[in-house]
Amino acid sequence: MTRTLGLALLLVLGFGASVAMARVLDAGRPAAQARLADEAPYLTPETARRLALGFGGLAADWYWLSALQYIGRKIQDEARTKHLDLEQAIELDRIKAVDPRVLVRLFDMITTLDPRFMAVYEFGAVVLPAVDVKAAVALLERGIQANPDQWYLHQQLAYIYWQRGDYLAAADAFRRGARMTSARWMEHMAERMEQKGDDPHVAQAMYTRMYEQAQDEQVKHWALNRLMELRSLRERETIRKVLSGFVGAKGRCPLAWTDLTSALREAGLTLHPQGPPLDPSGTPYVLVISPLGCDVTLHRVSTVPRG
Amino acid sequence: MPLSTETAPTPSRRRRVMAIARNTFREAVRDRVLYNLVLFVLLLSVSAIFLGAASASQDAKIIVDLGLSAILMFGAFIAIFVGVGLVWKEIERRTVFAIFAKPVGRGEFLVGKYLGLCVTLAVNVAVMGAGVTLVLLYVVRGTTPLLVALWPTVTLIYLELTVLTAVALLFSAFSSPIFAVFGTLAVFLIGHFSTDLKGLAELFDAAAVRAGLITLYYALPNLSTFSQITPAAHGIAPTPIDLVAALGYAAAWNITLLAAATMLFARRDFK
């Protein structure tokens, strides 16, 4: 009995000591770990494909989770440095802090291991152009080659071209996709791209389609944010017109939103019961009055992207 | 009146093989081989809980990848380690003498052992397949095309495991357990690379090297034939033709390997 108790005590003490030592050792490690986390995979994608045996899909999932963690860490860092809420910091198409070599290598790795992993192309089309447009185009072209039945990828490619202002290339991508589907809207988008690619209505149509077609929830959320941003830009334009009408009539800025209630309602804006117009996230707009004049801006807690 | 000694009628070959198979299955259950199912269930349950938040809506795909890969991995471990022990344990315990004192042929002994382990693997794979199905239903909260692809792929994995069991039995028929484990593991690894062997052969100009690589390609089972896990995770099921072809391929290899094992085992001296 005494012997058993002694052994149990030794076991507890030994385990406790090992945990304590691990903590001491870990204290000196964070810097090294952070450095490692930003390193691209060591293996080439083709070697990884060979070594994966029958587990290519599982290996692709592993790298997918690594890519998400990598991007997530960058978003957290950005939120910390800019003192933003995490929700406000998640702007997938504007993450500049990611290392393109790491991200491109991770996406290459995943799509080599599992060429049908659509979420990667979808995600890559949104995240990569901020840091490496060429790599984003190459990723999508490779995806189209590996998945010739997925017309949706042509829309993603068109988005990349449209975003960098290459409307003819975007129109071409839409046309290539239109040949694969009976949906007329792709052909229609191609025509609009050629006529006036920088039109806000084209942007609205683009993000609406991205939202409707997205399979990935984060991409869906991002497209919804962009649609909110567009709507808010239109609303702020309308509010500025109402403000300018008030200043023209009264020769001064309004003292509060309540001075504009009827004009704002007539302009079709949604109003808070206490007067201020609401932005697409349901947060009241802020009336800014300064010696230079009056203007409207987003509330600091609003989740509408600031552009 | 002369005394007559009546002997019990000798059971048919099929009965003898089935009796050995039944005992092999019972022994596997007694040896707690099926305990790996507990680990499998834990792995899947924990994954299902955590993947939802971490995978950006790819949880169903990852569950299928993880579940099917785990079925293959756990099954391969059982096929290799239990398969190698099937013959060796009987020799080590000297029970092989008692068995062969009865009217049991060495070939029947091997086929019985093989079928017994195949039944063990079938139970294992079926329970794991059911586990993946349930977790998938829980994750998607409804139906999904992934379910259609799941069971045909599980069938292919099972076929691969039957080939691997036959390989393990072949090695254990003539060699030591350690050599048999390494040999079977090597066939498992090279079997998944073997398509590359064929591709590699085309890169060589020397006819002898090319012929050598092509021979190696055909001399080893191409296990990538049974590997359809990645497409299954996208809801792409193997076609009935693929399944029949894989069944034929597995049957051809199993017959070949068991015949070779029987030939080698027939010459083995147990002293």
Side-chain angles (χ1 to χ4, degrees):
Chain A
M1 186 66 185
T2 319
R3 186 184 155 90
T4 313
L5 272 175
L7 283 172
L9 192 69
L10 262 181
L11 194 145
V12 171
L13 285 175
F15 184 68
S18 75
V19 171
M21 280 310 293
R23 288 174 68 96
V24 170
L25 290 168
D26 285 347
R29 277 184 193 145
Q33 275 176 349
R35 215 172 37 243
L36 269 178
D38 279 9
E39 276 179 23
Y42 296 115
L43 295 173
T44 65
E46 210 40 49
T47 309
R49 187 187 63 76
R50 286 204 167 85
L51 292 179
L53 304 176
F55 308 108
L58 193 63
D61 296 341
W62 174 262
Y63 283 113
W64 168 244
L65 293 176
S66 302
L68 290 180
Q69 281 174 12
Y70 175 70
I71 295 167
R73 268 196 308 274
K74 296 295 170 192
I75 292 174
Q76 275 179 340
D77 290 349
E78 206 157 293
R80 246 194 315 272
T81 50
K82 291 183 181 173
H83 305 288
L84 293 171
D85 286 343
L86 204 55
E87 179 76 7
Q88 289 174 324
I90 300 175
E91 294 201 55
L92 292 182
D93 56 340
R94 291 167 191 170
I95 310 167
K96 293 277 184 192
V98 291
D99 182 342
R101 282 169 310 165
V102 176
L103 209 54
V104 170
R105 191 64 176 270
L106 280 169
F107 286 160
D108 276 355
M109 186 69 102
I110 302 165
T111 51
T112 305
L113 288 163
D114 185 355
R116 292 193 189 90
F117 206 149
M118 289 301 140
V120 182
Y121 303 115
E122 196 173 87
F123 212 71
V126 177
V127 177
L128 266 186
V131 285
D132 192 340
V133 177
K134 273 186 188 165
V137 171
L139 177 74
L140 265 290
E141 288 289 4
R142 219 172 39 249
I144 288 167
Q145 213 168 14
N147 302 276
D149 54 334
Q150 297 287 331
W151 57 266
Y152 168 63
L153 293 175
H154 291 277
Q155 184 198 340
Q156 302 289 330
L157 183 62
Y159 163 75
I160 299 172
Y161 285 127
W162 168 76
Q163 204 212 29
R164 64 191 282 206
D166 191 347
Y167 303 126
L168 289 179
D172 181 54
F174 270 125
R175 284 231 157 77
R176 280 161 61 194
R179 282 185 219 120
M180 299 166 60
T181 171
S182 55
R184 284 279 306 137
W185 68 267
M186 283 195 98
E187 185 62 44
H188 186 56
M189 282 296 280
E191 284 163 16
R192 289 173 80 178
M193 281 290 164
E194 281 171 342
Q195 286 158 11
K196 206 168 183 224
D198 58 351
D199 190 284
H201 290 101
V202 171
Q204 175 80 21
M206 177 66 91
Y207 289 122
T208 305
R209 292 296 177 187
M210 297 280 277
Y211 174 76
E212 286 169 356
Q213 310 297 335
Q215 293 160 24
D216 185 288
E217 280 305 318
Q218 292 189 61
V219 174
K220 237 182 199 336
H221 183 73
W222 159 81
L224 198 63
N225 270 347
R226 286 285 159 271
L227 285 168
M228 269 205 312
E229 186 180 7
L230 283 174
R231 198 175 128 197
S232 174
L233 285 170
R234 280 198 309 274
E235 285 176 351
R236 277 177 275 170
E237 204 47 52
T238 307
I239 295 169
R240 283 191 189 106
K241 277 183 194 160
V242 172
L243 282 171
S244 134
F246 184 91
V247 173
K250 306 270 183 183
R252 63 169 176 86
C253 279
L255 299 174
W257 285 117
T258 43
D259 293 345
L260 305 167
T261 305
S262 57
L264 291 171
R265 198 164 277 145
E266 268 171 39
L269 291 154
T270 311
L271 303 187
H272 188 271
Q274 288 172 1
L278 297 173
D279 71 20
S281 71
T283 313
Y285 282 111
V286 176
L287 178 62
V288 183
I289 302 166
S290 71
L292 295 171
C294 36
D295 197 7
V296 58
T297 188
L298 290 166
H299 195 283
R300 67 182 167 74
V301 299
S302 170
T303 54
V304 173
R306 275 140 176 91
Chain B
M1 206 171 150
L3 285 170
S4 66
T5 51
E6 277 190 28
T7 52
T10 310
S12 69
R13 174 172 289 175
R14 193 176 65 83
R15 276 171 174 265
R16 292 194 297 265
V17 169
M18 293 319 285
I20 295 169
R22 234 185 342 264
N23 277 325
T24 307
F25 176 68
R26 279 192 201 131
E27 199 182 332
V29 175
R30 264 203 309 272
D31 285 349
R32 301 179 178 92
V33 168
L34 298 178
Y35 273 26
N36 73 91
L37 292 172
V38 178
L39 195 63
F40 178 81
V41 168
L42 274 175
L43 175 78
L44 271 194
S45 312
V46 172
S47 309
I49 293 163
F50 290 108
L51 281 176
S55 66
S57 3
Q58 297 302 310
D59 42 354
K61 176 200 180 299
I62 299 179
I63 285 292
V64 174
D65 273 331
L66 188 69
L68 294 179
S69 299
I71 292 177
L72 177 57
M73 251 185 291
F74 281 70
F77 269 104
I78 293 173
I80 294 171
F81 289 100
V82 181
V84 162
L86 285 178
V87 175
W88 172 75
K89 264 162 65 178
E90 301 285 358
I91 298 171
E92 187 71 10
R93 291 184 200 149
R94 309 271 169 199
T95 43
V96 78
F97 295 110
I99 293 168
F100 291 136
K102 290 171 186 159
V104 175
R106 291 194 179 192
E108 290 165 9
F109 170 76
L110 278 187
V111 174
K113 285 280 178 191
Y114 171 76
L115 290 178
L117 186 52
C118 283
V119 173
T120 311
L121 284 168
V123 172
N124 218 41
V125 166
V127 174
M128 288 188 193
V132 179
T133 308
L134 289 175
V135 172
L136 196 56
L137 285 170
Y138 165 76
V139 166
V140 297
R141 305 275 201 279
T143 185
T144 160
L146 298 182
L147 286 169
V148 180
L150 196 67
W151 283 96
T153 313
V154 169
T155 311
L156 285 180
I157 292 173
Y158 178 67
L159 290 176
E160 176 173 347
L161 296 177
T162 63
V163 175
L164 208 57
T165 306
V167 173
L169 213 56
L170 170 69
F171 278 112
S172 64
F174 70 91
S175 67
S176 69
I178 291 176
F179 180 82
V181 165
F182 278 111
T184 315
L185 210 57
V187 171
F188 178 68
L189 296 175
I190 301 169
H192 279 279
F193 283 122
S194 62
T195 313
D196 286 338
L197 284 178
K198 212 175 170 187
L200 196 65
E202 286 162 16
L203 297 177
F204 285 94
D205 289 332
V209 178
R210 213 166 43 221
L213 287 168
I214 293 285
T215 308
L216 197 59
Y217 170 72
Y218 287 112
L220 291 167
N222 181 354
L223 298 178
S224 60
T225 307
F226 308 104
S227 236
Q228 298 296 321
I229 297 174
T230 308
H234 296 290
I236 301 166
T239 63
I241 295 171
D242 289 340
L243 281 174
V244 172
L247 183 67
Y249 188 66
W253 266 109
N254 287 337
I255 290 167
T256 310
L257 290 164
L258 286 176
T262 307
M263 280 167 63
L264 291 166
F265 195 56
R267 292 177 188 178
R268 185 156 180 174
D269 186 1
F270 299 125
K271 285 175 192 168

